[in-house]
């Protein structure tokens, strides 16, 4: 069972859930959380000795097995050189060179990463897709456990905070550049040794996971996964209009700094079908399979979704008789997103 700690922040009333039909409010728990509070202090376990080797990835982004010590050292050197080349190809923006379409995100750079000025790097897509640090810290506190799987880690915003709250983190992304950036950023926060980075497609990884478990080929970290965190791409900065069309112009999940809608003029509901790279229900089912075979898993899943997500679909993901908790993530007086907690992560009562 995941280890729990009281989440920071305070609740506030909101019209978002109050406007829902009574039957929906009865089936879906909710809480509105402000993440403007100070970040939680690192746990003592964060400083413990780590002996587990991280899984390796080759130049094609596929997981490989080390065959001999000498070959391992050469592979590591090759990987590091490849990642350094990727990082060196990125532009280093300043207040005078930041592109016009990213200026509002540049103004929030220290909300995205408090250590931004220490050398944090982002590709253009990540400026509007990374989870702001205080929100990521709030989610990490709720997901305290032995090992958490971050299925769409991006540049590491959530994985870094998970590393403070959990004994081990497995961070997956299909983009080699994102993995390189996440490693770089985790090193700045001093938690890279607590995170196993895997450059692969989560859909494939999760599909193969049950068979690997039966075959006994999981790593010790994979054997200890207790929570799966899902933050798949939302469909770009135009996600608020996804309810009108599930087609999207881009593949990034973003939480742009948009004003909270008026109570009487809410945005159209965001459908799980708009998530990338698959329907949100399918992504959820794959995460459930990582946690256990049908009927034996605990469904300890945290799903980070747009603030206007259709809550009927959110509630329908839970097993019969199971509760769902929907937590609103607020920052600077604005509703940024919702995190949906399933299984033992959902608060009871």
């Amino acid at each position: 069972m995941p280890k729990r700690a009281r989440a920071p922040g305070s609740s506030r009333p909101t019209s978002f859930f109050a406007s829902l039909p009574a039957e929906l409010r009865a089936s879906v728990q909710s809480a509105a959380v402000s993440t403007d509070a100070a970040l939680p202090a690192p746990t003592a376990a964060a400083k413990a000795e780590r002996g587990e080797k991280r899984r390796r990835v080759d130049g094609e982004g596929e997981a490989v097995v080390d065959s001999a010590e000498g070959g391992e050292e050469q592979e590591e050197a090759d990987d590091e050189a490849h990642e350094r080349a990727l990082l060196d190809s990125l532009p280093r923006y300043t207040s005078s060179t930041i592109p016009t379409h990213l200026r509002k995100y540049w103004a929030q750079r220290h909300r995205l990463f408090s250590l931004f000025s220490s050398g944090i790097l982002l590709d253009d897509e990540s400026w509007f897709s990374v989870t702001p640090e205080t929100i990521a810290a709030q989610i990490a506190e709720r997901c305290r456990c032995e090992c958490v799987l971050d299925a769409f880690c991006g540049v590491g915003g959530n994985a870094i905070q998970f590393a403070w709250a959990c004994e081990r983190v497995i961070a997956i992304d299909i983009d080699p550049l994102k993995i390189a950036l996440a490693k770089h950023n985790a090193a700045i926060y001093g938690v890279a040794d607590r995170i196993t980075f895997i450059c692969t497609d989560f859909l494939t990884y999760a599909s193969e996971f049950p068979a690997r478990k039966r075959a006994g080929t999981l790593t010790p970290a994979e054997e200890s996964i207790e929570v799966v965190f899902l933050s798949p791409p939302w469909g770009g900065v135009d996600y608020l209009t996804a309810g009108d069309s599930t087609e999207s112009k881009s593949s990034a999940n973003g939480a742009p700094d948009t004003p909270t809608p008026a109570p009487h003029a809410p945005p159209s509901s965001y459908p799980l079908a708009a998530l990338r790279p698959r329907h949100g229900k399918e992504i959820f089912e794959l995460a459930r399979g990582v946690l256990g075979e049908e009927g034996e898993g605990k469904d300890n899943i945290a799903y980070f979704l747009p603030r206007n997500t259709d809550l009927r679909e959110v509630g329908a993901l839970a097993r019969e008789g199971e509760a769902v908790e929907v937590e609103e993530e607020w920052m600077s007086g604005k509703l940024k997103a919702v995190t949906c907690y399933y299984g033992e992560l959902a608060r009871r009562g």
Side-chain angles (χ1 to χ4, degrees), residues 101-129:
H101 69 288
L102 296 178
R103 284 179 183 171
K104 67 177 180 179
Y105 306 112
W106 172 263
Q108 302 175 52
R109 60 194 182 278
H110 290 104
R111 292 183 180 178
L112 302 181
F113 289 96
S114 62
L115 298 185
F116 182 88
S117 297
S118 297
I120 292 294
L121 294 177
L122 296 84
D123 60 345
D124 281 12
E125 180 181 84
S126 298
W127 281 98
F128 54 81
S129 64

Coordinates of all heavy atoms in Angstrom, one line a residue, residues 101-129:
H101 N 6.0 33.5 -29.1 CA 4.9 32.6 -28.7 C 5.2 31.9 -27.4 O 4.4 31.2 -26.8 CB 4.7 31.5 -29.8 CG 5.8 30.5 -29.9 ND1 7.0 30.8 -30.6 CD2 5.9 29.2 -29.6 CE1 7.8 29.8 -30.6 NE2 7.2 28.8 -30.0
L102 N 6.5 32.1 -26.9 CA 6.8 31.5 -25.6 C 7.0 32.5 -24.5 O 7.4 32.1 -23.3 CB 8.1 30.7 -25.7 CG 8.1 29.5 -26.7 CD1 9.4 28.8 -26.8 CD2 7.0 28.5 -26.2
R103 N 6.8 33.8 -24.8 CA 7.2 34.8 -23.8 C 6.4 34.7 -22.5 O 6.9 34.9 -21.4 CB 6.9 36.2 -24.4 CG 8.1 36.6 -25.4 CD 7.8 37.9 -26.0 NE 8.9 38.2 -27.0 CZ 8.9 39.3 -27.8 NH1 7.8 40.1 -27.8 NH2 9.9 39.4 -28.6
K104 N 5.1 34.4 -22.6 CA 4.3 34.3 -21.3 C 4.8 33.1 -20.5 O 4.6 33.2 -19.2 CB 2.8 34.2 -21.6 CG 2.3 32.9 -22.3 CD 0.8 32.9 -22.5 CE 0.3 31.7 -23.1 NZ -1.2 31.7 -23.2
Y105 N 5.3 32.1 -21.1 CA 5.8 31.0 -20.3 C 7.2 31.3 -19.7 O 7.5 30.9 -18.6 CB 5.9 29.7 -21.2 CG 4.6 29.4 -21.9 CD1 4.5 29.5 -23.2 CD2 3.5 29.0 -21.1 CE1 3.2 29.2 -23.8 CE2 2.3 28.7 -21.7 CZ 2.2 28.8 -23.1 OH 1.0 28.5 -23.7
W106 N 8.0 32.1 -20.5 CA 9.3 32.6 -19.9 C 9.1 33.3 -18.7 O 9.8 33.2 -17.7 CB 10.0 33.4 -21.0 CG 11.2 34.1 -20.5 CD1 11.3 35.4 -20.0 CD2 12.5 33.5 -20.4 NE1 12.6 35.6 -19.7 CE2 13.4 34.5 -19.9 CE3 13.1 32.3 -20.7 CZ2 14.7 34.3 -19.7 CZ3 14.4 32.1 -20.5 CH2 15.2 33.1 -20.0
A107 N 8.0 34.1 -18.6 CA 7.7 34.9 -17.4 C 7.4 34.0 -16.2 O 7.6 34.5 -15.1 CB 6.6 35.9 -17.7
Q108 N 7.0 32.8 -16.5 CA 6.7 31.9 -15.4 C 7.8 30.8 -15.2 O 7.5 29.8 -14.5 CB 5.4 31.2 -15.7 CG 4.2 32.1 -15.9 CD 3.0 31.3 -16.4 OE1 2.6 30.4 -15.8 NE2 2.4 31.8 -17.5
R109 N 9.0 31.0 -15.7 CA 10.0 30.0 -15.7 C 10.3 29.5 -14.3 O 10.6 28.3 -14.2 CB 11.2 30.5 -16.5 CG 11.9 31.7 -15.9 CD 12.9 32.3 -16.8 NE 13.6 33.5 -16.3 CZ 13.1 34.7 -16.3 NH1 11.9 34.9 -16.8 NH2 13.8 35.7 -15.8
H110 N 10.3 30.4 -13.3 CA 10.7 29.9 -12.0 C 9.5 29.2 -11.3 O 9.7 28.6 -10.2 CB 11.2 31.1 -11.2 CG 12.6 31.5 -11.6 ND1 12.7 32.7 -12.4 CD2 13.8 31.0 -11.5 CE1 14.0 32.8 -12.7 NE2 14.7 31.8 -12.1
R111 N 8.3 29.3 -11.9 CA 7.2 28.5 -11.4 C 7.3 27.1 -12.0 O 6.8 26.2 -11.3 CB 5.9 29.2 -11.7 CG 5.6 30.5 -11.0 CD 4.3 31.1 -11.3 NE 4.0 32.3 -10.6 CZ 2.9 33.0 -10.8 NH1 2.0 32.6 -11.6 NH2 2.7 34.1 -10.1
L112 N 7.8 27.1 -13.2 CA 8.0 25.7 -13.8 C 9.0 25.0 -13.1 O 8.9 23.8 -12.7 CB 8.3 25.9 -15.3 CG 7.3 26.7 -16.1 CD1 7.8 26.7 -17.6 CD2 5.9 26.0 -16.0
F113 N 10.2 25.6 -12.8 CA 11.3 25.0 -12.1 C 11.9 26.1 -11.2 O 12.4 27.1 -11.7 CB 12.4 24.5 -13.1 CG 12.0 23.3 -13.8 CD1 11.5 23.4 -15.1 CD2 12.2 22.0 -13.3 CE1 11.1 22.2 -15.9 CE2 11.8 20.9 -14.0 CZ 11.3 21.0 -15.3
S114 N 11.9 25.9 -9.9 CA 12.4 26.9 -9.0 C 13.9 27.1 -9.2 O 14.5 28.1 -9.0 CB 12.2 26.5 -7.6 OG 12.8 25.3 -7.2
L115 N 14.6 26.0 -9.7 CA 16.1 26.1 -10.0 C 16.3 26.4 -11.5 O 17.4 26.1 -12.0 CB 16.7 24.8 -9.6 CG 16.6 24.4 -8.1 CD1 17.5 23.2 -7.8 CD2 17.1 25.6 -7.2
F116 N 15.4 27.1 -12.1 CA 15.6 27.3 -13.6 C 16.9 28.0 -13.8 O 17.6 27.7 -14.8 CB 14.4 28.2 -14.1 CG 14.5 28.5 -15.6 CD1 14.0 27.6 -16.5 CD2 15.2 29.6 -16.1 CE1 14.1 27.8 -17.8 CE2 15.3 29.8 -17.4 CZ 14.7 28.9 -18.3
S117 N 17.3 29.0 -13.0 CA 18.5 29.8 -13.3 C 19.8 29.0 -13.0 O 20.9 29.5 -13.3 CB 18.5 31.0 -12.4 OG 17.4 31.9 -12.8
S118 N 19.6 27.8 -12.5 CA 20.8 26.9 -12.2 C 21.2 26.1 -13.4 O 22.1 25.3 -13.4 CB 20.5 26.0 -11.0 OG 20.4 26.7 -9.9
G119 N 20.4 26.2 -14.5 CA 20.8 25.6 -15.8 C 19.7 24.6 -16.3 O 20.0 23.8 -17.2
I120 N 18.5 24.8 -15.9 CA 17.4 23.9 -16.4 C 17.2 24.2 -17.9 O 17.3 25.3 -18.4 CB 16.1 24.3 -15.7 CG1 16.1 23.9 -14.2 CG2 14.9 23.7 -16.4 CD1 16.2 22.4 -14.0
L121 N 17.0 23.1 -18.6 CA 16.8 23.2 -20.1 C 15.5 22.6 -20.5 O 15.0 21.6 -19.9 CB 17.9 22.4 -20.8 CG 19.4 22.9 -20.6 CD1 20.3 22.0 -21.3 CD2 19.5 24.3 -21.2
L122 N 14.8 23.3 -21.4 CA 13.6 22.8 -22.0 C 13.6 23.0 -23.5 O 14.2 23.9 -24.0 CB 12.4 23.6 -21.5 CG 12.0 23.6 -20.0 CD1 12.9 24.6 -19.2 CD2 10.6 23.9 -19.8
D123 N 12.9 22.0 -24.2 CA 12.7 22.3 -25.6 C 11.5 23.1 -25.7 O 10.7 23.4 -24.8 CB 12.6 20.9 -26.4 CG 11.4 20.1 -25.9 OD1 10.9 20.4 -24.8 OD2 11.0 19.1 -26.6
D124 N 11.2 23.6 -26.9 CA 10.0 24.5 -27.1 C 8.7 24.0 -26.6 O 7.9 24.6 -26.0 CB 9.9 25.0 -28.6 CG 11.0 26.0 -28.9 OD1 11.9 26.3 -28.1 OD2 10.8 26.6 -30.0
E125 N 8.5 22.7 -26.9 CA 7.2 22.1 -26.6 C 7.0 22.0 -25.1 O 5.9 22.2 -24.5 CB 7.2 20.6 -27.1 CG 5.9 19.9 -26.8 CD 6.0 18.5 -27.4 OE1 6.5 17.6 -26.8 OE2 5.5 18.3 -28.5
S126 N 8.1 21.8 -24.3 CA 8.0 21.7 -22.9 C 7.7 22.9 -22.1 O 7.2 22.9 -21.0 CB 9.3 21.1 -22.3 OG 9.5 19.8 -22.9
W127 N 7.9 24.1 -22.7 CA 7.5 25.3 -22.1 C 6.1 25.4 -21.7 O 5.7 25.9 -20.7 CB 7.9 26.5 -23.0 CG 9.3 26.9 -23.0 CD1 10.3 26.5 -23.9 CD2 10.0 27.7 -22.0 NE1 11.5 27.0 -23.5 CE2 11.4 27.7 -22.4 CE3 9.6 28.3 -20.8 CZ2 12.3 28.4 -21.6 CZ3 10.6 29.0 -20.0 CH2 11.9 29.0 -20.4
F128 N 5.2 24.8 -22.5 CA 3.8 24.8 -22.2 C 3.2 23.4 -21.8 O 2.0 23.3 -21.7 CB 3.0 25.4 -23.4 CG 3.2 24.7 -24.7 CD1 2.5 23.6 -25.1 CD2 4.0 25.3 -25.6 CE1 2.7 23.0 -26.3 CE2 4.2 24.7 -26.9 CZ 3.6 23.5 -27.2
S129 N 4.1 22.4 -21.7 CA 3.6 21.1 -21.3 C 4.1 20.6 -20.0 O 3.5 19.7 -19.4 CB 4.0 20.1 -22.4 OG 5.4 19.9 -22.5

